[in-house]
Amino acid sequence: MPGTAALAAWVEDAARLTRPDKIVWCDGSEEEYQRLVGEMLANGQMDRMNEDAYPNSYLYRSNPNDVARTEGLTFICTEREEDAGPNNNWMAPKDAKEKVRPLFEGVMRGRTMYVVPYLMGPVGSPHAKVGLEVTDSAYVVCNLRITTRMGQPALDQLEKNGGEFFPGLHSVGDLSPDRRFILHFPEEKLVWSIGSGYGGNALLGKKCLSLRLASWMGWKEGWMAEHMLILGLQDPSGNVTYMGGAFPSACGKTNLAMLVSPLADQGWKVWTVGDDIAWLRPGPDGRLWAVNPENGFFGVAPGTNNATNPNAMASLSKNTIFTNVGLTPDHRPWWPEIQPGEKTPPAGTINWLGHPFEEQPDAAVAHPNSRFTAPASQCPSISPHWEDPQGVPISAFIFGGRRARVAPLVYQAFNWQHGVFVGAGMGSETTAAATGKVGVVRRDPMAMKPFCGYNMGDYWGHWLTMGKQIANPPAIFHVNWFRKDDDGHFLWPGFGQNVRVLMWMHGRIHGTADARETAIGYVPTPDSLDLDGLDISSKTLGQLLTIDKHDWEQEWTDQVPFFGQFGDHLPAAVAAEHQALKRRLDAMPE
Ligand code: OXD
Ligand code: MN
C-alpha cells in the first residue's frame, strides 16, 4: 500500500533525527492502553483513581511549567509573513526548521518513540483526515486514544483518502519553556512540537491539525474549520435544529454543548455533537453541514459539577484521564465546585503539585486549567447523529464571549455579512486556558485568535466568500452569559437556563420570535424570551438586554486599532460594517 509505505518512510526519517531506543507502532487497542497506563503507574507518572467510583481512570500531573497552551511559543511558518498575519507569530519555514531541528536531534535517545496513526472525523466520512503523530510521551498516546479514532480506522481511511496523511513530530524535549516550540507548516501540512506535553500543544490532532492546518486547508479548498461546539436543539415537535457555537477557551463551550434543559418536560432538549471543533462544508441542499472531528472531550475541570454540567460529570465517570486536578485520600478527583458550593477539599487531599494541600495553603488544589479527557460516547446527551459521515446541517452560528458589560444577553446579526463583522469584532475577558494575565479583554475573532492558521483578514474574507456560496446560510447570533450588575453579580443564571436563549434563536430561525432592531442587531423584545418559572425581575431583564450607547462607542473605538492591523487584508465589507455600526450608534439617542 503506497500510503502505508509513505507513513513508514516518514517515521524512519523522524527516527533518524530523534534517535529513539525503541519504536512502537500503536494500534489503539485496549490492551495497548492498559500496558501504557501500567507503565505510567509503575514509574509514578500516573495515579489510579478509585476503581469503584471512577473505573479505569487515572490522574496525571504535568510539569508545573507546562499547564496550558503557550501562544507565545506557537508559530505559523509560511513562506510569506503576510500569510500568517498579525494574529500569529511567524517564522520562515527554513529558519524555523534550522532553529528547532537541533532540539530534535537525538532527543529520543533512551526513550521510546510511539507512532500513532489517528483519524479526525467520523469513520468512513468523506471529510475525515488521517493524522500521524510520533511522540515520546505515553501520556500523549493515551490521550490520543480517547480524543481521536486511533489505529486501524486511520489506516483504513488512508486508502480512501488516496494515501494523504498529516504528519506531526512531537517530543516533550526537556520541558523547558526556553526550548518549547509549536510550529505549523501549513504549506507542507506538517506540525513540529517540542518542549511541552500539554494537551493543545502536544495532542497534535486537536488544535494543530483540526484547527490551524485545517483552517488553512479550508481557505484553499472551500470549507471551514472552526473553534465551535455543535449542538442540536430538539423542539416539542421532535425536530432538531443544529447550531455551531464559537466561544473563547474556557467560556462555557462544553457546558453549552451538553446543556441539560430545565424545559425537557415541555419537549426542549439539547443533543451534543461536539464541544470544541467543527469542520463545515456546503451540502448539495445549500446548507452548511458540520462534523466534529474529535472522538472525546478535553474539558476544563474546575467548576464542573452535577449542577453546572451533569452530562460532563457522567462523561468523566469512567475511562477518563484527569490532568492536574487534586486527589482526595480515597482517590477521587477534586477541583473547586466539584460538589456545588465546595471550595475546600477533604482533609489530606493531594494538590496538583503532588503535596498535601494543607502544606501549601497558597497553592491552588487543582490547577485552574486542570482537565478531564473523556470519551464522547460516554456523554448521555451525545447525539444519535454525532458520527454521521456527512455531519449535521447547521441553522445558526452563535458567537460569544465573557463580558461583564457591553454585550447584551443575546442579539442577532442583520445578515451574514453583518454576522461576519460581529464575529470579527468579538472580545472576551481572558481565562486560564492559555498562559498570560486572566481577566483582560482581548479581541478573539470567532474565538479563533489562537487557532487561525493564516492571516485573520483573509479568514474573514473566506467567511464572506462562503456566505455567498451557500444558498441557506446559518443565522448568526451573539450571546453573553457573563453580564454583571454594578455590584459585580451575574445578571443571568446561565447553564441550563441558557436553553431559553437557544429557544429564542430557534424562534428567530423559524420565524416565530420577536425582536427589536437596535444599532448592534436584533435584540429580543422582553416577552419574546420564555422566562416562565425563572425569577428574573423586569429590571434585571432590562439590564441584560440594554445597549448602552457610550459602552458601545467605547467598544467601537477599541476595535479601530484592532481592525487597522490587518491593512490591505481587511475585507472592505468588514470595514464597511464597522463604519455602518458607527453611523447607527451616532443616530442613537443619548
Ligand atoms: C481547548 C482550548 O483546550 O480552547 O479546547 O484551549
Ligand atoms: Mn478549545
Side-chain angles (χ1 to χ4, degrees), residues 421 556 574-584:
F421 165 72
W556 189 91
V574 172
E577 287 293 340
H578 195 214
Q579 287 310 320
L581 172 61
K582 177 85 173 82
R583 284 196 298 278
R584 293 192 300 267

Side-chain angles (χ1 to χ4, degrees), residues 42-64:
N43 68 20
Q45 284 186 50
M46 271 187 168
D47 273 312
R48 187 188 292 282
M49 289 304 188
N50 184 311
E51 198 49 40
D52 296 328
Y54 291 89
N56 195 28
S57 297
Y58 307 92
L59 167 64
Y60 178 85
R61 294 189 190 95
S62 72
N63 185 301

